Amino acid sequence: MTSYRCPDCGTGSSVESLAWRCPDCRGPWDLDFSAAPVARESLAGRVGSLWRYEEALPLSAPAVSLGEGRTPLVPLTPTVSVKLDFLMPTLSFKDRGAVMLAELARRLAPKRVIADSSGNAGTAVAAYCARAGLDCTVYVPEGTSAKKVEQIRAHGAHLELVTGDREATALAARAAADTPGTFYASHVFNPYFLHGTKTYVYELWEDLGGRLPEAIVVPVGNGTLLLGAAVALAELHAHGLIAERPALIAVQAEAVSPLAAAFHAGAEELLDDSATPARPTLAEGIAIPRPPRARQILRAVRESGGTFLTVTEDQIRAAQLDLAARGLFVESTGVACWAAAGTWTDRTAVVPLCGAGLKTGLAPQVQ
């Protein structure tokens, strides 16, 4: 195993220490890890999961895999394809990162694992901890979708329903994370999660014959898919496996869009909360008012030549119905990028469909 490194002050820590954030800056870790190049011609005959890209992963030979990854890529328009990441073992893209966290925790053998989530990351961590035989507690907001709560419980995890919003839930979990012997399986703070989500881009690169689209469109709350994509693009470019990096187009719900506001204001960090007040949104999975990796997200989008887009609640409802009419039932958070479709018609793009519609049902109409 490699080590953690703070991207802001350079402080390092052993992975075995179970330190979940930088003790000086109190921010998320990066991973001190260098991926080796993946030879596309070597992939034939390898395992049909994200672990086929073993040269690029900080862990190998997993004991907890459920066959995650290698999801279909389906063209929907002449320029836009969708990647069906809701066809994962727990029905969301979060399996890509959760399997890395559970495998790491299995090797470290902590007394307990905790996680916090708006739903999908919690169900994924619960499932993979069950696979690994680890004691797991998941913190979720009290308003979390009933189906996601049921799924977490079904996997045998202890459930902590937190009064308040997603931010209150994160604070409760972080307080518990400081208990000795605890592994905080944070999809936000732990960089192993990002090295799982980066396989999304490796799959695109493989499926498109060693190429990538001109734009990679991702929904952004805490930014775990976007930052994983940025890591993969940097690796593929550094190894000469792609000539140019695609633009990263980040999509937020208009009701909770602190990153979009900061980006368009030209800021390097989030604006004051009063400048971007949050409102209720159907896209619960990306309703994050203060993402801890905000600086990294904003920098990654700018460096790629990309941008931020926002979508309204009416656009989210319409996009969910439109995809369903095309045969794809996706949860309301997962349709956010499709709701923005049409903005980049002048270039090829791939949109992720991140969670199954059965997790939340159809978005309700406001009367």
Side-chain angles (χ1 to χ4, degrees):
M1 287 179 284
T2 183
S3 59
Y4 296 135
R5 176 180 51 79
C6 176
D8 291 325
C9 70
T11 296
S13 175
S14 165
V15 171
E16 288 86 348
S17 72
L18 299 182
W20 59 271
R21 65 181 174 183
C22 174
D24 299 325
C25 298
R26 301 178 69 80
W29 294 118
D30 277 351
L31 201 60
D32 193 6
F33 168 75
S34 296
V38 176
R40 192 163 57 89
E41 59 274 13
S42 73
L43 295 174
R46 289 194 183 186
V47 63
S49 72
L50 61 82
W51 298 94
R52 67 198 281 110
Y53 311 110
E54 59 183 352
E55 298 94 333
L57 296 175
L59 297 173
S60 61
V64 301
S65 177
L66 292 168
E68 55 287 330
R70 299 299 293 139
T71 54
L73 183 64
V74 179
L76 286 193
T77 76
T79 57
V80 180
S81 295
V82 292
K83 189 158 173 60
L84 310 190
D85 254 27
F86 64 87
L87 298 180
M88 289 277 197
T90 75
L91 307 181
S92 90
F93 89 94
K94 295 291 177 61
D95 289 6
R96 293 185 184 276
V99 69
M100 299 292 288
L101 295 184
E103 178 62 25
L104 176 61
R106 184 191 68 81
R107 299 182 188 197
L108 298 178
K111 293 180 181 178
R112 67 192 65 82
V113 174
I114 67 169
D116 61 284
S117 168
S118 59
N120 282 338
T123 62
V125 170
Y128 284 96
C129 281
R131 176 76 165 169
L134 294 165
D135 183 84
C136 178
T137 298
V138 180
Y139 291 72
V140 298
E142 58 185 351
T144 299
S145 302
K147 290 295 183 182
K148 295 179 182 178
V149 169
E150 182 181 7
Q151 189 177 5
I152 291 169
R153 285 185 168 136
H155 290 306
H158 311 289
L159 190 70
E160 291 285 346
L161 290 172
V162 179
T163 301
D165 58 11
R166 182 66 181 86
E167 192 75 8
T169 303
L171 291 174
R174 291 169 197 169
D178 290 325
T179 304
T182 299
F183 178 84
Y184 184 23
S186 172
H187 59 293
V188 181
F189 279 81
N190 194 302
Y192 277 86
F193 196 94
L194 305 183
H195 284 267
T197 60
K198 77 180 182 183
T199 59
Y200 174 85
V201 168
Y202 274 89
E203 290 178 20
L204 292 181
W205 167 77
E206 181 184 358
D207 289 343
L208 294 173
R211 299 178 297 107
L212 286 171
E214 295 167 286
I216 292 177
V217 190
V218 288
V220 175
N222 276 310
T224 55
L225 183 55
L226 184 140
L227 290 173
V231 171
L233 295 177
E235 291 173 354
L236 290 167
H237 189 261
H239 296 143
L241 297 173
I242 56 172
E244 297 181 355
R245 304 187 204 187
L248 292 170
I249 299 179
V251 180
Q252 294 203 289
E254 185 180 273
V256 187
S257 52
L259 289 161
F263 181 88
H264 292 298
E268 295 183 357
E269 299 194 33
L270 296 177
L271 306 177
D272 183 83
D273 287 347
S274 62
T276 58
R279 306 186 304 277
T281 177
L282 296 166
E284 63 179 10
I286 54 173
I288 310 297
R290 299 200 65 79
R293 292 188 184 269
R295 287 176 60 90
Q296 289 176 279
I297 296 166
L298 292 166
R299 184 169 62 248
V301 173
R302 286 197 175 100
E303 289 178 352
S304 77
T307 192
F308 271 84
L309 304 173
T310 60
V311 292
T312 66
E313 302 302 292
D314 285 342
Q315 287 176 306
I316 291 171
R317 290 187 192 92
Q320 189 182 39
L321 292 173
D322 180 66
L323 282 171
R326 298 169 186 261
L328 300 165
F329 187 31
V330 184
E331 69 170 325
S332 48
T333 297
V335 305
C337 291
W338 188 249
T343 306
W344 53 85
T345 52
D346 59 333
R347 49 185 165 177
T348 58
V350 172
V351 169
L353 303 183
C354 295
L358 293 176
K359 283 175 170 276
T360 55
L362 283 172
Q365 291 285 346
V366 176
Q367 301 298 320

